[in-house]
Each structure stands twice: as structure tokens, then as C-alpha cells.
Amino acid sequence: MERFIDPLGLPFGFYAILRRKEQVAVKCPKCTGLAYISKGEQGVVVNCTACFHQEKEPEAYRYTASGVCAVCERWFNEEVTDHKQQTHKAVRIACPHCSSVNQVPIRKLAAYSGCYLDFRNERDPIFQLELYYLDYFRGKPVWAANREHLNYLISYISAELREKPAAVIKRTASHSVPKYMKEAKNREAIVKLLHKLQRIDM
């Protein structure tokens, strides 16, 4: 009987992969070939292995208007979301305390980018590129973030006996695997599909 011990944590989340200095496999936005997202000294970048297209993480900023209200003399700091207002040095904004309109300067601040959202709709959360290892089983997505994730899924799903590390209550890597991929009746078809994905860049 094939036995598999599930690793702890969520090692195949987007941020976890980048934090370990590993890569996420995506489809190049120019040629749909194999491209990799990685994090280095210059930030997060995507590099295509086929057409050599390169793209840097888009800069993210937030804009705030802050000052002391001329009427109630209370401090306020409001986020400015109107793109037209963001181009000005100062903006007229209502005080959140007394609703009096004040003209205050706008501050442009770099948005924090140390932590990212996870994969959504089989795309990465920064560039919104479709994952490279992606197929469908009865209309439902079957995907892997990279070859390591693909190998993990094959080992986990094909195993007849799946175990968690002894005396552990925490989540394991299989927590994020959809139920339809775990079901015994789908095992053979899902493993076959994952092996097909494994061969696409060989």
C-alpha cells in the first residue's frame, strides 16, 4: 500500500513559493510560452523562457489627504481614491468629523508589497497571468504552481494511504487541494491529467 505523509503548512501558496526563492510557472503574456515569476533584489519579475519577455512588478501607491480641519480643529487623514484628484498637489475634502470642506495637500505613499494574496481563478495575484500547469477535469480546474507542486499533487493523490505528521493539529499542504481532486472515484483520472501536465514542457 502506497503511503504518503502530508507536509505541514501551505508550502505551495504564492507568497510561500517566492519567500523560498523558488519560481511560479505562468503563461507568458506575449507568446503564451513558459514564463517564471520570481523575487529578487529588483522585486518581483516575470521572465519568459521562449520569447525572453521580461516584466517588473507594477509600482503600487496609495494617496492620502491629511490636515487639521479649519472649523473643528481636529486631525484627519483620508484616503483619496479618485484618480483625477490624485494628480493634484492639494484637494478639497470634507472633514470626516464635521463635514466642513478643507483644502489640504495630497501625499503619495508606496503601498506595502511585502505580502501578496494567493492564487485566484488559476492566476497569479500580481501580474494576473494564467498558470502554466493548468487543465480541466469535468469543467473544474486542475492546476499546479510549479513542477514541485505538480510532483506533490501526483504523490498525494495517487497514494492509497495519506497521513499527517504524528501529534499535529495544524494544517497540511493538502488543505488547499479541492475536494473533487481528493475523492477516490476521481483518483485515476486526476493523476492521468497531472501526468499530462508534467509532459507539456519536456
Side-chain angles (χ1 to χ4, degrees):
M1 184 177 287
E2 197 172 342
R3 186 165 165 260
F4 182 84
I5 298 176
D6 206 8
L8 283 173
L10 298 173
F12 303 109
F14 183 76
Y15 182 60
I17 292 169
L18 294 189
R19 192 177 57 215
R20 290 195 307 269
K21 304 292 183 189
E22 294 174 4
Q23 299 173 321
V24 173
V26 292
K27 290 179 182 174
C28 173
K30 298 289 183 185
C31 71
T32 70
L34 173 60
Y36 289 108
I37 295 174
S38 58
K39 186 176 183 181
E41 291 179 10
Q42 304 300 316
V44 181
V45 293
V46 57
N47 291 294
C48 180
T49 61
C51 71
F52 306 106
H53 169 73
Q54 188 178 64
E55 207 171 305
K56 289 184 179 178
E57 176 183 7
E59 291 184 337
Y61 295 98
R62 62 187 183 91
Y63 297 82
T64 60
S66 56
V68 176
C69 177
V71 178
C72 71
E73 298 183 348
R74 292 172 73 182
W75 169 264
F76 64 87
N77 186 29
E78 295 291 291
E79 190 163 353
V80 178
T81 55
D82 186 334
H83 295 297
K84 289 180 182 176
Q85 287 184 320
Q86 290 172 354
T87 60
H88 298 286
K89 289 184 179 179
V91 66
R92 289 171 61 83
I93 195 163
C95 170
H97 310 293
C98 70
S99 301
S100 299
V101 177
N102 292 264
Q103 184 157 339
V104 291
I106 284 187
R107 294 175 65 206
K108 179 182 176 182
L109 304 165
Y112 176 68
S113 59
C115 187
Y116 305 100
L117 296 171
D118 217 339
F119 301 103
R120 293 285 183 273
N121 302 317
E122 301 79 57
R123 293 177 180 271
D124 80 275
I126 295 179
F127 302 96
Q128 293 298 307
L129 297 175
E130 190 175 90
L131 292 170
Y132 189 74
Y133 299 110
L134 171 67
D135 209 326
Y136 293 87
F137 171 73
R138 296 177 185 168
K140 295 177 180 177
V142 174
W143 59 269
N146 52 28
R147 288 195 75 81
E148 291 77 19
H149 189 200
L150 195 56
N151 293 337
Y152 161 79
L153 289 171
I154 291 169
S155 298
Y156 174 78
I157 293 165
S158 60
E160 293 175 11
L161 180 64
R162 302 167 188 159
E163 296 180 4
K164 288 185 178 183
V168 167
I169 309 169
K170 295 179 182 177
R171 288 181 180 175
T172 55
S174 63
H175 178 78
S176 60
V177 178
K179 188 180 177 182
Y180 59 87
M181 288 177 66
K182 297 178 184 180
E183 291 175 345
K185 64 179 181 179
N186 298 331
R187 179 182 293 151
E188 191 178 334
I190 294 286
V191 170
K192 186 177 179 181
L193 192 58
L194 291 168
H195 279 301
K196 178 185 164 187
L197 288 173
Q198 212 174 29
R199 293 189 296 270
I200 62 173
D201 62 342
M202 287 184 170

